[in-house]
Amino acid sequence: MACLLEAPLRISVLSEVTATSRHYVDRLFDPDPQNVLQGVIDMKNAVIGNNRQKANLIVLGAVPRLLYLLQQSSSSLELRTECAVVLGSLAMGTENNIKSLVDCHIIPALLQGLLCSDLIFIEACLRCLRTVFISPVTPVQLLYTDPTVIPHLMSLLSLSQHTQEYITQIFAHCCKTPEHQTVLFNHGAIQNIAPLLISPSYKVRMQALKCFSVLAYENAQVSMTLVNVLVDGEQLSQVFVRMMQRDKPIEMQLTAAKCLTYMCRAGAIRTDDNCIVLKTLPCLVRMCSKERLLEERVEGAETLAYLMEPDIELQRIASVTDHLVSMLADYFKYPSSVSAITDIKREKGDAFYSIILYCKCSLDHDLKHAHELRQAAFKLYASLGSNDEDIRKKITETENMMDRIVSGLSESSIKVRLAAVRCLHSLSRSVQQLRTSFHDHAVWKPLMKLLQNAPDEVLVMASSTLCNLLLEFSPSKEPILESGVIELLCSLTQSDSPALRVNGIWALMNMAFQADQKVKVEIVQALGTEQLFRLLSDPDTNVLMKTLGLLRNLLSTRPDMSSHGKQIMQAVTLILEGEHSIEVKEQTLCILANIADGNTAKELIMTNDDMLQKIKYYMGHSNVKLQLAATFCISNLIWNEEDGSQERQDKLREMGFVDILHKLTQASDPNLCDRAKKAMQQYLA
């Protein structure tokens, strides 16, 4: 009975609210302009802080009427300004509000309003545009549709501090792609925004700083230009350094550090420059301390990881700065699931739980950011340990680190899983860790599970890690082989993604290295000759190189070429004749040398005069690597201890190979000279 009465009650309340809202909308159509103005002002006061009222007015059609009034030249400037203010207030509601405003074409209307000469109206339009554009649901491309918009916004920067704040904030939020960077750069963003870094307004300085961070990100042209910019006679990089001082707001320190980080990564500032080593890196390490807000710790760690990713010296400096490696362990001390919170409640009791919830860093807050913290920590550990063996050892010896990585591989957040496997990949470059920590924690098991069903970006990193676990000296190689991984890897070679094809074939190549014949047969059977030869004609050079490496390993122990000999020789011929790099042709000649080492396989080369002429050509090539590989091939063909060696030697002598070998014994390269002399000894024996 109570349930039956509830619905009419709600309808009654809704009708009352809608009726009140209808009153505001109706006043927008009053024939008296003064009544319309007063109605807009009353609407402005009614919607402040009232999301329900905002939603009602949007549903009742207030937005089209407000936009109409805003665009009418017959409307007074005061009315047009108040309309812009109300629209800005509506935009501060929910994301659905923003979507409705965008669907009503609010952006073109407001941009048109910027052509007005009245500063107060312009500021109102810009404030509303700012609110609309910073919403994640607004398509930023709408800013770039009309090519006249960006230059006009640049021209408005000088009008007031408000226009400077709003326009730079719009640019900072709407610069998402290299194309956006180019448009802003070409329209003078650097020259127009640089002076704002010394504005008396903190908000203007901050938005200008954010602008430069998005402009410089992975953009060499912008970064190189920024290095030469002077602001009030001071180099821009030094302005950024001052903004990183400890007495500046954290937001400013962090954003300035990002600007210098991006300029450094783009090649505009050297990694050993004092502004990087002594200022930017220490600033970012400070951002990782537990005294900072969780959001700041996340941003600081991710920026630091990006800064030192390619530079071993920065990695070494960071690893001994403020106990960074152990400091990051604190990133994992926040609950990452509802069950973890429930466990704390069960263990400590409701009263303790309530106290924690009441604290500044409540469990709700921790839960919200736990995944981001884990992701940032894994990224930073991955960057720290990407080159130096001692740092990797320090990371793995950090409290429960390997357990955390293994746990991270099965986290609910895809971003955390990706960061965890990236960290694992970084550590897997260590022979010592492969033999110890990786073996002790059986990391191959969760890694294999991750490979079964994951998005491509995770699959690429996981399969790349697997390649390292399949190296000859890795204790994980045997159990991985026994788990039936060959079929999985063969399926990766058929992927549309070049990176996955490379990793699939790379892992098979590592697996085949010095492997038993049984394993090699399994690989060939699972991969299939058709797929193998398809990979040999892959347009991606990395795929081709790894396929050649696989073939070389499969043929490394006196191969039996009876099954697919002619097809392999045909593939080798096509590669040697094609427009391929020196590295590809060297690998191909090495395969030929392995074929030449087989008992029956030798005949495939000796009966192919075209192939012999190719070997002869590469023995006289200008590249020493190709000469060496070709000479090694001939050396295997004429080896005295094998049947038929005399006939092969005689034929090759007739074709002029001995003369070439004799010349190569005088080669300036010691390895080539030595190989040629050993081959000549076969004729003298």
Side-chain angles (χ1 to χ4, degrees), residues 306-317:
Y306 182 68
L307 171 65
M308 63 185 180
E309 189 175 23
D311 192 90
I312 188 170
E313 283 308 313
L314 289 180
Q315 292 159 13
R316 286 171 176 162
I317 293 167

Side-chain angles (χ1 to χ4, degrees), residues 522-619:
E522 283 182 31
I523 292 172
V524 173
Q525 288 178 345
L527 188 61
T529 53
E530 283 188 21
Q531 176 62 5
L532 182 61
F533 294 121
R534 196 177 296 121
L535 291 166
L536 285 171
S537 58
D538 197 286
D540 189 284
T541 303
N542 290 325
V543 174
L544 175 57
M545 279 293 287
K546 296 308 173 191
T547 306
L548 291 170
L550 170 63
L551 200 53
R552 185 177 174 182
N553 288 347
L554 290 172
L555 300 173
S556 63
T557 49
R558 296 184 172 267
D560 176 8
M561 302 287 286
S562 56
S563 302
H564 313 295
K566 289 183 179 179
Q567 290 168 293
I568 291 173
M569 291 298 288
Q570 184 181 6
V572 166
T573 302
L574 288 172
I575 293 170
L576 291 177
E577 288 179 349
E579 295 293 324
H580 293 289
S581 66
I582 295 295
E583 290 74 22
V584 167
K585 292 194 174 184
E586 180 194 11
Q587 190 79 292
T588 307
L589 287 168
C590 288
I591 289 171
L592 209 54
N594 283 354
I595 293 171
D597 193 38
N599 292 324
T600 57
K602 285 181 171 63
E603 288 308 306
L604 284 168
I605 300 176
M606 292 303 301
T607 56
N608 188 333
D609 285 354
D610 182 47
M611 181 60 71
L612 289 172
Q613 289 296 339
K614 284 182 174 55
I615 296 171
K616 187 178 179 181
Y617 165 76
Y618 285 110
M619 286 177 73

Side-chain angles (χ1 to χ4, degrees), residues 367-386:
L367 180 58
K368 179 183 176 184
H369 295 287
H371 285 155
E372 290 180 355
L373 283 165
R374 280 166 164 71
Q375 180 188 346
F378 282 137
K379 280 184 180 178
L380 187 43
Y381 276 135
S383 188
L384 276 167
S386 58

Side-chain angles (χ1 to χ4, degrees), residues 104 123 151 174 350 378 381 465 518 520:
C104 289
E123 288 179 348
C174 294
D350 288 347
F378 282 137
Y381 276 135
T465 307
K518 176 176 173 288
K520 292 182 178 181

Side-chain angles (χ1 to χ4, degrees), residues 464-569:
S464 189
T465 307
L466 190 65
C467 289
N468 292 342
L469 267 66
L470 285 168
L471 289 166
E472 179 208 4
F473 46 76
S474 168
S476 303
K477 183 174 182 177
E478 284 304 316
I480 292 174
L481 274 171
E482 292 167 6
S483 72
V485 73
I486 293 177
E487 291 288 346
L488 172 64
L489 295 175
C490 289
S491 69
L492 291 182
T493 69
Q494 299 177 27
S495 170
D496 291 335
S497 162
L500 286 176
R501 293 201 303 278
V502 167
N503 288 347
I505 206 74
W506 196 342
L508 290 170
M509 181 188 81
N510 287 351
M511 191 182 295
F513 181 72
Q514 295 186 355
D516 296 338
Q517 195 60 30
K518 176 176 173 288
V519 173
K520 292 182 178 181
V521 169
E522 283 182 31
I523 292 172
V524 173
Q525 288 178 345
L527 188 61
T529 53
E530 283 188 21
Q531 176 62 5
L532 182 61
F533 294 121
R534 196 177 296 121
L535 291 166
L536 285 171
S537 58
D538 197 286
D540 189 284
T541 303
N542 290 325
V543 174
L544 175 57
M545 279 293 287
K546 296 308 173 191
T547 306
L548 291 170
L550 170 63
L551 200 53
R552 185 177 174 182
N553 288 347
L554 290 172
L555 300 173
S556 63
T557 49
R558 296 184 172 267
D560 176 8
M561 302 287 286
S562 56
S563 302
H564 313 295
K566 289 183 179 179
Q567 290 168 293
I568 291 173
M569 291 298 288

Side-chain angles (χ1 to χ4, degrees), residues 146-166:
D146 183 344
T148 66
V149 168
I150 300 299
H152 185 62
L153 288 172
M154 293 292 179
S155 71
L156 297 177
L157 278 170
S158 60
L159 295 185
S160 72
Q161 288 184 4
H162 287 307
T163 63
Q164 291 166 354
E165 177 193 343
Y166 303 148

